[in-house]
Amino acid sequence: MALRNILKDSDPALRKKSRPVTDFNKRLWELLDDMRETMLDANGSGLAAPQVGILRRAFLVAAPAAHESEAEAEPLTEDEEYDEEIMELINPEILEVNGEQTGLEGCLSLPGVWGIVTRPMRVKVRAQDRFGNYFEAEGEGLTARAICHELGHLDGQLFTDVADRILDGKELEELVAGREEKKDAE
Ligand code: NI
């Protein structure tokens, strides 16, 4: 496994539409393993393949019990727990969205930028795993937010495109002060 470079800011690859994954082979598994390591290293809660320059429809999300619809998701505290709960979604499609939530969002590709974004409260997706098997998963709250955010990346969308607003300098300072201990970007 190896850390991959996360593309940032105005990198044109972040604006491209990614193509479906067609080969579920060792090369894909290496990519996913590298993405996992890269995401954990950057303290992210999600990472899409185009963010590491691979324009394919695949992403990871930190998803506590994401396969269960009414998950009583416990906050993740330890890195080990975190690692176990990373879900891989390949060629994902949204089947259903419900409700609405408005909250804070950031992105590993936009360091230092935070915004308020309205997303569905629950999403149901159909995707393939790293072997090409189809599965359905449901996400709620932060997981739903992360899934929508990462899906955006697959179509060249950044959260700043859909944000209600972007935090200003003073709000950012307060946020950084409150987050010194635990970073939580997507
Ligand atoms: Ni992002």
Side-chain angles (χ1 to χ4, degrees):
M1 288 201 288
L3 291 180
R4 304 238 180 167
N5 183 41
I6 299 177
L7 303 183
K8 305 234 161 70
D9 303 318
S10 56
D11 193 299
L14 293 173
R15 291 312 196 169
K16 300 248 164 73
K17 188 174 168 73
S18 292
R19 289 164 295 156
V21 171
T22 51
D23 298 326
F24 296 83
N25 55 17
K26 195 168 167 240
R27 198 157 171 230
L28 173 69
W29 305 337
E30 273 174 18
L31 168 67
L32 294 168
D33 290 344
D34 287 355
M35 284 172 60
R36 175 180 295 248
E37 196 179 340
T38 304
M39 178 179 128
L40 290 171
D41 180 70
N43 290 310
S45 54
L47 186 67
Q51 288 183 277
V52 296
I54 306 295
L55 295 175
R56 293 288 179 171
R57 303 188 77 78
F59 64 74
L60 310 181
V61 285
H67 288 267
E68 288 155 44
S69 50
E70 68 277 31
E72 306 250 327
E74 305 242 327
L76 299 172
T77 48
E78 301 295 329
D79 278 353
E80 303 93 280
E81 283 178 32
Y82 198 60
D83 191 49
E84 284 165 15
E85 303 288 355
I86 294 172
M87 188 164 62
E88 299 174 350
L89 289 105
I90 297 158
N91 300 330
E93 283 174 59
I94 295 258
L95 298 177
E96 222 178 284
V97 301
N98 283 296
E100 198 177 272
Q101 56 173 322
T102 297
L104 191 63
E105 215 165 291
C107 179
L108 293 176
S109 291
L110 299 173
V113 181
W114 294 87
I116 304 299
V117 189
T118 301
R119 303 281 193 186
M121 182 55 87
R122 283 173 296 281
V123 297
K124 187 172 174 185
V125 290
R126 181 171 186 261
Q128 284 168 281
D129 66 16
R130 60 166 58 200
F131 307 105
N133 302 308
Y134 284 94
F135 66 95
E136 288 183 11
E138 294 188 28
E140 197 170 352
L142 286 177
T143 307
R145 174 176 295 284
I147 288 171
C148 294
H149 176 113
E150 301 309 328
L151 262 168
H153 277 301
L154 303 187
D155 292 319
Q157 181 198 77
L158 298 174
F159 81 88
T160 46
D161 301 340
V162 294
D164 301 340
R165 62 187 191 85
I166 303 300
L167 298 198
D168 66 24
K170 186 160 187 287
E171 290 172 306
L172 266 181
E173 274 175 36
E174 289 166 8
L175 183 71
V176 170
R179 278 184 181 244
E180 216 65 291
E181 291 170 18
K182 188 168 183 253
K183 290 192 179 175
D184 190 16
E186 279 162 14

